[in-house]
Amino acid sequence: MLTVCHLYPDLLNLYGDRGNVTVFLRRCQWRGIPVRLWEVRFGESVDFTKVDFLFLGGGSDREQQLVVTDLLPRLANLRQAIEEGLVVLAVCGGYQLLGHYYQTAQGEKLPGLGILDLYTEAGEGRLIGDIAVEVQMGGRSQILCGFENHSGRTYLGRVSPLGRVLRGFGNNGWDGTEGARYKNVFGTYLHGPLLPKNPAFADYLISLALGRRGLEIMLPPLPDVLERQAREVILRRLRLRGS
């Protein structure tokens, strides 16, 4: 039985981010993989070592600070789970709060969890639009597509980017990086939600979660007809496919 934890679904859930959780669950269920959903809200207890897939969505600055306050007393438990291979997908605000801090437009530094070696500063304008990113998954190059809408500019330290921006803005609009990856932790600005538009990435996360349990299973393919069509529309719009 895989356990999916949607952390703070009432506080961090912008632009359909909940769809990432739904897709992870459904793609397991369609293949007969036992899976359960555990929604954890502010103040509720959670043991991250019992979780297989942890999802953090996007939220406002205020909501991010509430979340950090709630998570700090459990940071050691979360770090332990991550070092043991917990699969984490964190989008936008959820991604930013995994870093050291977020500096507001007024210069105030709002502390993060410091799990990823990165920081974010508020920018003057929002970075909005469709985005395509080249990433490496299991030794293969793949293109992720999604939608970004953020004013934060994220700068990486000693942590790998999730991928290389092909179209769009990414972490900060100038260095060509998007997101961050540490072990099985994936941070990204791709909303959309991300996983419905990128079923191969969803399956990659499922495989990582199963592998952490010692289950090296070759996932049976799913039709993904609508998913492929949606991706093609976006990639043509971004001029990464012929019309």
Side-chain angles (χ1 to χ4, degrees), residues 89-92 95-96 118 127 129-136 144-150 152 154-156 159-181 185-191 194 201:
L89 176 61
V91 176
C92 200
Y95 165 42
Q96 294 172 352
L118 57 86
L127 306 180
D130 290 322
I131 178 172
V133 181
E134 182 182 40
V135 302
Q136 296 295 319
L144 299 183
C145 56
F147 179 79
E148 59 181 333
N149 184 357
H150 54 102
T154 295
Y155 300 92
L156 306 183
V159 63
S160 299
L162 174 60
R164 179 175 67 92
V165 176
L166 300 176
R167 297 286 191 277
F169 299 102
N171 278 330
N172 48 56
W174 68 270
D175 69 3
T177 67
E178 206 294 312
R181 177 177 182 176
V185 178
F186 302 85
T188 180
Y189 276 113
L190 272 65
H191 290 283
L194 171 63
F201 189 51

Side-chain angles (χ1 to χ4, degrees), residues 93-111:
Y95 165 42
Q96 294 172 352
L97 67 84
L98 295 182
H100 296 299
Y101 64 84
Y102 178 91
Q103 182 168 303
T104 69
Q106 292 73 37
E108 183 183 5
K109 285 187 178 180
L110 307 176

Side-chain angles (χ1 to χ4, degrees), residues 13 20 26-27 48 57 63 86 93 99 106 116 121 132-133 135-136 202 211 216 219 232 237:
N13 184 34
N20 293 303
R26 292 291 181 266
R27 295 185 75 83
F48 292 109
E63 289 157 342
L86 171 65
Q106 292 73 37
L116 299 179
E121 298 176 343
V133 181
V135 302
Q136 296 295 319
E216 303 292 341
L219 297 178
E232 288 302 312
R237 188 185 300 158

Side-chain angles (χ1 to χ4, degrees), residues 175-237:
D175 69 3
T177 67
E178 206 294 312
R181 177 177 182 176
Y182 172 72
K183 291 183 177 287
N184 290 338
V185 178
F186 302 85
T188 180
Y189 276 113
L190 272 65
H191 290 283
L194 171 63
L195 297 187
K197 292 179 178 175
N198 300 279
F201 189 51
D203 287 351
Y204 181 58
L205 299 183
I206 292 171
S207 296
L208 290 176
L210 290 169
R212 179 171 174 248
R213 291 291 193 95
L215 302 171
E216 303 292 341
I217 298 174
M218 182 69 73
L219 297 178
L222 296 171
D224 294 333
V225 175
L226 293 176
E227 290 87 343
R228 284 199 295 270
Q229 291 176 348
R231 282 176 53 82
E232 288 302 312
V233 168
I234 297 169
L235 294 176
R236 283 199 298 271
R237 188 185 300 158

Side-chain angles (χ1 to χ4, degrees), residues 29-50:
Q29 293 164 346
W30 288 334
R31 295 177 167 112
I33 299 170
V35 63
R36 72 181 181 112
L37 174 61
W38 185 12
E39 293 188 332
V40 177
R41 291 174 171 76
F42 188 87
E44 294 181 350
S45 61
V46 56
D47 182 352
F48 292 109
T49 64
K50 307 296 184 186

